[in-house]
Amino acid sequence: MTKAGVYVRISQDRTGAGLGVERQRSDCQALAERLGYEVVDVYCDNDTSAYSGKPRPEYQRLLDDIRAGRIQAVVCWHTDRLHRSLRELETYIDIAESVPTHTVQAGHLDLATASGRMTARITGAVARHESEHKAERQRRKVEELASKGLPLGGGRPFGYEADGLTLRPEEADELRGMVRRVLDGDSLGSILRDLNERGVRTTRGGTWGYTSLRSLLLRERNAGRMVHRGQVIGKAAWEPIVSETEHDAVVAVLSDPTRRTTPGPGRRHLLSGLAKCHCGAGLKPGWVASRNGRKHWIYTCPSRTKGHVHRDMARVDAYVESWTLDVLSTVSQPKTGDAATQDRLRLERERADIDGRLRDAATLFASGAITAAQLSASTELLRERAGAVADALITTARGSVLDGALGITDEQWRNLPLERKRRIIDAIMTITVVPLEGRRRGDLGVNVKLRTDRSDAAATPFRMWRTPAHLERLVTSAFA
């Protein structure tokens, strides 16, 4: 009995279920039985295009088995399942000239005769034309959609419904929160851990990783910009989730070459590394066994030798947090919000004006009113100013780590992510732990000082200004 190989292929399997190739296989098996062939192998290239020219592993295995004589006939659903490239067809003719090729839809290909080879080439040319014509239609459709600022297809984007135009409010709010956290200085690691812990999922229902989160935050779509062939070509038809200024600021932060990009486990303790031993080394978390055998967490100097410190972690954390809240609650949020908003609006108006001038210059050149040299000179000046305005807008969007922190309540502080707390503490104070010899009972030996260039505040430990009036004077001086 003639040993036959069945070849099946489908270009796109959107569901991943393989139903298309399974239907082809069933039809090919039935044809092989009618021809009296024994099917010894099935070669399946699922979700693989023959038009793209990319390697098809199973097709190559089919050719190898024909060369080796392991199969004496080929059965496929249609000739276009085997080839959509005339180059591939000529190679197949050379290899399988003496091997019968049968198709469910197009009949028998007799490659042993000149007429049969001519038929195969004509059929191949028609299949190639159909593929090229389909590709042209798809390109024209994409160009039309892009020119109108409409979605180009693909999966549902995070923050939007399946149509790519309608906002999905809960996801849009999540994305705005991610953007704000990046601008506040939070790491991608802390953001994705928070998302995964709260059960916020990607549009495919998966958990977040560094690559997926970073790609989402760098997406031009977030700012309502239309991207085609890797370039921003204008405004999109959908509603933006964040402003262009915020998006550009996020791109600047995530593209900063000095930014740490290697994911780490992240800090798990409030003051590890921030609090210093009197020798200058950053304190590390550690533990000792209590009388009941449980772990008792401490901060300890890495040297662990005599004269270096270790302290109860919970007591030090509570002490520092108490002073942090005293400082943050003493000074109300600066009354610069209106001025900052006006400054941002002024810069955005200037950016829009520059864009308009660039378009006007192009129109004047097209009409012959100015020369190419004049167009080049004016464009260079305008683009230089546009760059300066963009940088200024990014600076206003990034803000300070203390934005929204001054005047914070105890409850708001408790709800802040650990990394944000650490950044706030590091921004306003230094913490030094000293030996306890000669100190009063109950004194932790923790000296906390404001970060400021003013010598009076910088040199004064918090424990020296317990009175509200003194505290307010020093804090106001530090944050003036």
Side-chain angles (χ1 to χ4, degrees), residues 218-227 232 238 247-248 251:
L218 292 175
R219 193 180 64 181
E220 298 289 348
R221 155 183 274 279
N222 301 339
R225 292 170 175 165
M226 186 69 208
V227 176
V232 176
W238 54 82
H247 175 72
D248 290 341
V251 172

Side-chain angles (χ1 to χ4, degrees), residues 400-463:
S400 164
V401 68
L402 297 178
D403 286 349
L406 300 180
I408 195 171
T409 65
D410 290 9
E411 183 179 359
Q412 289 170 329
W413 174 262
R414 286 194 298 272
N415 291 329
L416 287 180
L418 176 65
E419 187 165 329
R420 182 81 195 284
K421 291 180 180 179
R422 287 174 51 83
R423 286 178 55 80
I424 291 172
I425 291 172
D426 190 39
I428 65 177
M429 63 179 67
T430 61
I431 306 157
T432 307
V433 182
V434 299
L436 291 174
E437 288 82 355
R439 291 180 175 268
R440 291 179 301 176
R441 184 178 178 83
D443 191 342
L444 280 173
V446 178
N447 289 344
V448 190
K449 299 178 183 179
L450 285 175
R451 287 190 184 276
T452 172
D453 293 332
R454 296 170 174 78
S455 58
D456 62 335
T460 307
F462 277 21
R463 57 190 174 84

Side-chain angles (χ1 to χ4, degrees), residues 174-360:
E174 288 286 354
L175 182 52
R176 293 186 191 101
M178 297 178 211
V179 167
R180 190 65 260 163
R181 289 185 62 177
V182 170
L183 298 181
D184 285 341
D186 287 2
S187 68
L188 293 186
S190 66
I191 296 172
L192 74 85
R193 281 191 292 273
D194 175 58
L195 291 171
N196 290 334
E197 287 172 2
R198 291 189 293 110
V200 178
R201 294 292 180 252
T202 66
T203 55
R204 294 187 177 184
T207 56
W208 292 94
Y210 287 89
T211 301
S212 58
L213 179 58
R214 190 173 189 275
S215 298
L216 171 65
L217 291 168
L218 292 175
R219 193 180 64 181
E220 298 289 348
R221 155 183 274 279
N222 301 339
R225 292 170 175 165
M226 186 69 208
V227 176
H228 183 47
R229 296 181 180 176
Q231 299 292 324
V232 176
I233 61 173
K235 298 284 187 182
W238 54 82
E239 181 182 346
I241 294 177
V242 297
S243 69
E244 293 187 37
T245 299
E246 289 175 313
H247 175 72
D248 290 341
V250 166
V251 172
V253 170
L254 297 182
S255 304
D256 185 351
T258 64
R259 181 182 175 87
R260 178 173 176 263
T261 56
T262 303
R267 299 284 189 179
R268 293 187 298 168
H269 304 284
L270 182 66
L271 301 177
S272 56
L274 295 183
K276 309 290 184 182
C277 176
H278 65 97
C279 71
L283 297 184
K284 298 173 60 177
W287 62 274
V288 294
S290 60
R291 290 181 180 178
N292 59 12
R294 294 180 180 177
K295 288 182 178 180
H296 183 75
W297 287 97
I298 61 172
Y299 290 118
T300 182
C301 181
S303 72
R304 292 179 176 270
T305 57
K306 187 176 180 180
H308 297 268
V309 301
H310 64 271
R311 291 289 186 279
D312 180 88
M313 182 181 289
R315 292 184 64 197
V316 174
D317 284 354
Y319 182 83
V320 171
E321 286 188 286
S322 173
W323 281 117
T324 302
L325 286 166
D326 278 347
V327 173
L328 296 177
S329 62
T330 299
V331 181
S332 60
Q333 193 69 24
K335 296 180 180 180
T336 57
D338 292 340
T341 300
Q342 292 302 318
D343 191 42
R344 178 179 57 79
L345 292 174
R346 177 185 60 78
L347 289 168
E348 289 180 346
R349 284 195 297 269
E350 185 172 357
R351 180 166 65 176
D353 180 63
I354 291 171
D355 290 342
R357 288 174 181 268
L358 286 169
R359 289 192 297 270
D360 291 343

